[in-house]
Amino acid sequence: MDHGKQAAELFLQGYNCAQAVVIAFCDVTGMEPEFAARLSSSFGGGIGRMREVCGAVSGMAMVLGLLYGYESPEDIQSKKEHYVRIQEISGKFRDCYGSVVCKQLLKNASTDPTPEARTQEYYNVRPCAGFVYLAGKLLDEYILAHPLEKAHG
């Protein structure tokens, strides 16, 4: 499955950027789409439209945490390895778009908590479908290179 394409389609259906990425990977994570939508709902617009870390990047981190994350707070090595993983994939996103920060990516978009209407005009000027597409593509590449049966040892 092309999860990047799926994520872009979900964004164009009205899901926020984080939801689009996390829901696109339900076939891999085993989450129900409704649960994935709720779990990731707070991360759209750079966390609640505060325009901080891009929701597509947050979505990547959530998927990687579910698939490869650590469980024990005492497991310092696994924690370090996971943070390296997150920094690596976020760095690839940054390399493509110049930032992982929503307000920089969207050129200081509004932080008003009221979501904008998802009209054709909105989609014509909003680059987020490309952001979620890249997030899905980067996750697909990472998962292909790091088979899940090896994810937890």
Side-chain angles (χ1 to χ4, degrees), residues 76-90:
I76 302 303
Q77 184 59 35
S78 291
K79 186 184 247 188
K80 176 185 174 187
E81 290 169 5
H82 189 62
Y83 289 171
V84 166
R85 176 180 303 118
I86 299 304
Q87 289 184 14
E88 176 185 306
I89 202 164
S90 297

Side-chain angles (χ1 to χ4, degrees), residues 107-126:
K107 312 292 189 253
N108 293 313
S110 172
T111 58
D112 181 321
T114 305
E116 296 171 57
R118 294 293 187 95
T119 63
Q120 190 58 50
E121 181 179 300
Y122 171 92
Y123 290 119
N124 288 343
V125 299
R126 187 63 61 140

Side-chain angles (χ1 to χ4, degrees), residues 94-108:
R94 182 184 296 113
D95 289 345
C96 288
Y97 286 110
S99 182
V100 297
V101 177
C102 180
K103 66 182 139 201
Q104 294 171 353
L105 293 166
L106 298 184
K107 312 292 189 253
N108 293 313

